[in-house]
Amino acid sequence: MMTNSASDLELMDQALLRLRHFFDAPAILTDTGTRVELSTLLVLEAVARSGSSASVREIADQLDVAHSTASRLVTRAENAGMIARATSTTDRRETVIETTAVGHDFRRRASAYRLDRLVALTSGWTQDERATFASFLDRFSAAV
């Protein structure tokens, strides 16, 4: 006989498997007629989480990838015009990554799209239910 705890864990497991459709995204996004790699959005989000600029090492840490992978992703984002490299104001030997105006606009539109999708998916929820879910989801993702 299954305990309540085990059935709760199985329920969570099945829900997480179903959520893969929520997170499935094409490798290439189309934005205002321009094709943008999903990795470029991830670089923009990593820079935003780091503040106004970030090093390639900080981006690698944020994305949980090797430095060489982060460097390639930064180059792609730079080629797309979403970020620019600059010399650090505190250490001239260090290069920092900054979001361009084009990158800020793209990130804003992508965020608005995701938030609109969440509003639609939780339209029948109360504000308390949304707050509780957000709190638990944040706690869960931090543990992962």
Side-chain angles (χ1 to χ4, degrees), residues 2-69:
M2 189 177 302
T3 66
N4 282 341
S5 178
S7 62
D8 289 344
L9 291 173
E10 286 185 353
L11 185 62
M12 285 188 274
D13 177 59
Q14 290 302 307
L16 289 168
L17 288 173
R18 286 190 310 273
L19 276 177
R20 77 173 173 76
H21 293 295
F22 182 80
F23 294 104
D24 282 347
I28 302 289
L29 308 171
T30 302
D31 178 60
T32 63
T34 304
R35 294 171 53 93
V36 180
E37 293 189 45
L38 177 60
S39 63
T40 295
L41 179 58
L42 298 177
V43 168
L44 291 170
E45 290 297 330
V47 172
R49 283 190 301 273
S50 293
S52 61
S53 65
S55 67
V56 174
R57 171 62 53 212
E58 289 170 317
I59 292 170
D61 290 345
Q62 287 278 345
L63 300 180
D64 196 24
V65 298
H67 186 276
S68 59
T69 300

Side-chain angles (χ1 to χ4, degrees), residues 29 31-32 34 36-48 51-52 74 76-84 97-112 114:
L29 308 171
D31 178 60
T32 63
T34 304
V36 180
E37 293 189 45
L38 177 60
S39 63
T40 295
L41 179 58
L42 298 177
V43 168
L44 291 170
E45 290 297 330
V47 172
S52 61
V74 165
R76 288 180 192 163
E78 184 178 32
N79 290 340
M82 302 287 180
I83 58 102
I97 310 305
E98 299 174 337
T99 305
T100 64
V102 172
H104 281 293
D105 289 345
F106 175 66
R107 183 174 172 269
R108 181 188 44 75
R109 286 190 304 278
S111 178
R114 292 191 313 268

Side-chain angles (χ1 to χ4, degrees), residues 65-129:
V65 298
H67 186 276
S68 59
T69 300
S71 183
R72 281 192 302 278
L73 298 179
V74 165
T75 297
R76 288 180 192 163
E78 184 178 32
N79 290 340
M82 302 287 180
I83 58 102
R85 296 174 198 253
T87 302
S88 170
T89 57
T90 57
D91 183 351
R92 293 203 171 276
R93 297 169 296 174
E94 185 178 348
T95 299
V96 294
I97 310 305
E98 299 174 337
T99 305
T100 64
V102 172
H104 281 293
D105 289 345
F106 175 66
R107 183 174 172 269
R108 181 188 44 75
R109 286 190 304 278
S111 178
Y113 170 81
R114 292 191 313 268
L115 292 176
D116 286 348
R117 189 166 178 215
L118 288 171
V119 166
L121 289 169
T122 61
S123 64
W125 297 19
T126 67
Q127 183 56 43
D128 285 344
E129 289 170 329

